[in-house]
């Protein structure tokens, strides 16, 4: 069976704009889940790109990229395509032609749990690609199998269509649709904490007044100092 879900939930644009103003690492200070593993890297490591967009998801077998093109037809400008290749490491489903297609639809980026090909052509097009490496062996448009806009696994993280993706060269964060309003408040809170800490460093305050490590250690049990 092949599933093509034509409907994608979308967050309010004002909420998405708030995520665009925060650093993804702020959520890394507060959460342990929802982060793709660091095997998936930005192809153009010199780029300072930060993309935030709605996830369009697609799951494909190792050798068939038919549904990659189909998934893009359900995208809107600014969306991010997320591709689950079922752990494939040899076949590249993304290259120059898929990049040109993505730009036609106005996609902000693609995230592939697998390799890409045509690296120089992708860089020349200035399109953000996050992948697990490179390969000259490619998928084919064979019409074998695939699912569009279903829950998938990419980089060890669950991604559902309509989730929000935050991605830069430091990594990729998945914001579940149903928790986005709470997570932005959390991220903005940590952003404010960071500003307070930086002010402390600027004023040359004692480190113990800026960071809380001594207070945390004081509450730990069985701490022995060797002198």
């Amino acid at each position: 069976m092949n599933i093509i879900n034509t409907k994608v939930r979308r967050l309010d644009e004002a909420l998405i704009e708030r995520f665009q103003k925060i650093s993804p690492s702020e959520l890394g200070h507060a959460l342990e889940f929802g982060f793709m593993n660091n095997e998936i890297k930005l192809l153009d490591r010199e780029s300072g790109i930060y993309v935030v967009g709605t996830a369009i998801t697609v799951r494909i077998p190792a050798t068939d990229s038919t549904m990659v093109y189909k998934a893009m037809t359900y995208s809107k400008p600014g969306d991010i395509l997320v591709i689950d290749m079922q752990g494939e490491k040899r076949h590249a489903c993304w290259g120059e032609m898929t990049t040109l297609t993505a730009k036609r639809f106005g996609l902000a980026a693609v995230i592939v749990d697998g390799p890409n090909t045509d690296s120089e052509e992708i860089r020349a097009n200035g399109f953000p690609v996050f992948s697990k490496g490179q390969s000259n062996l490619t998928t084919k448009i064979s019409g074998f199998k695939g699912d569009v806009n279903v829950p998938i696994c990419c980089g060890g993280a669950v991604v559902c269509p309509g989730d929000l993706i935050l991605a830069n060269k430091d990594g990729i964060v998945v914001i579940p649709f149903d928790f986005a309003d709470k997570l932005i408040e959390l991220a903005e809170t940590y952003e404010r904490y960071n500003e307070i800490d930086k002010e402390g460093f600027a004023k040359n305050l004692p480190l113990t007044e800026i960071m809380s490590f001594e207070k945390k250690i004081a509450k730990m049990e069985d701490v022995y100092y060797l002198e």
Side-chain angles (χ1 to χ4, degrees):
M1 183 173 71
N2 303 291
I3 299 171
I4 298 177
N5 176 16
T6 63
K7 297 180 180 179
V8 178
R9 298 189 295 176
R10 294 181 180 276
L11 294 168
D12 184 77
E13 282 298 324
L15 184 57
I16 294 176
E17 288 175 4
R18 288 170 67 187
F19 276 102
Q20 291 171 337
K21 296 176 182 177
I22 62 103
S23 169
S25 64
E26 302 302 349
L27 290 165
H29 296 313
L31 306 175
E32 285 295 329
F33 304 104
F35 301 86
M36 293 191 190
N37 63 51
N38 57 13
E39 290 181 351
I40 300 180
K41 301 181 185 298
L42 179 61
L43 175 63
D44 187 357
R45 298 292 294 170
E46 300 304 313
S47 170
I49 192 76
Y50 173 40
V51 290
V52 177
T54 298
I56 300 296
T57 65
V58 58
R59 178 169 56 207
I60 63 171
T63 60
D64 180 14
S65 56
T66 306
M67 289 297 190
V68 170
Y69 288 94
K70 183 64 174 176
M72 286 192 271
T73 67
Y74 297 107
S75 68
K76 291 185 178 182
D79 288 350
I80 296 176
L81 185 65
V82 186
I83 305 173
D84 178 357
M85 292 194 72
Q86 310 289 294
E88 175 60 20
K89 296 181 179 179
R90 297 175 65 237
H91 291 81
C93 74
W94 197 268
E96 184 179 18
M97 293 302 107
T98 43
T99 294
L100 293 175
T101 304
K103 293 186 71 173
R104 172 173 289 189
F105 282 104
L107 285 169
V110 64
I111 299 168
V112 187
D113 198 352
N116 70 269
T117 193
D118 299 333
S119 297
E120 292 307 315
E121 291 81 357
I122 291 171
R123 288 192 183 96
N125 274 283
F127 185 74
V129 171
F130 297 80
S131 68
K132 289 173 71 173
Q134 289 69 48
S135 176
N136 280 319
L137 176 61
T138 70
T139 55
K140 284 74 178 173
I141 302 178
S142 56
F144 173 52
K145 287 286 183 182
D147 299 317
V148 172
N149 285 327
V150 298
I152 63 171
C153 181
C154 186
V158 175
V159 185
C160 295
D163 287 349
L164 197 65
I165 302 295
L166 319 180
N168 61 14
K169 63 182 179 182
D170 291 331
I172 303 159
V173 187
V174 182
I175 306 295
F177 181 95
D178 292 322
F179 305 123
D181 55 344
K182 292 183 173 54
L183 290 177
I184 188 58
E185 292 178 1
L186 184 65
E188 289 171 342
T189 297
Y190 272 85
E191 195 101 315
R192 288 192 292 271
Y193 290 160
N194 263 358
E195 291 304 315
I196 293 171
D197 291 344
K198 286 191 286 188
E199 288 177 8
F201 279 106
K203 295 176 180 178
N204 202 31
L205 295 178
L207 187 60
T208 52
E209 291 185 26
I210 302 173
M211 312 302 289
S212 62
F213 65 94
E214 289 288 13
K215 293 179 181 178
K216 298 292 185 182
I217 293 173
K219 294 180 180 180
M220 294 170 62
E221 298 181 0
D222 299 326
V223 177
Y224 299 93
Y225 288 87
L226 302 179
E227 298 180 358

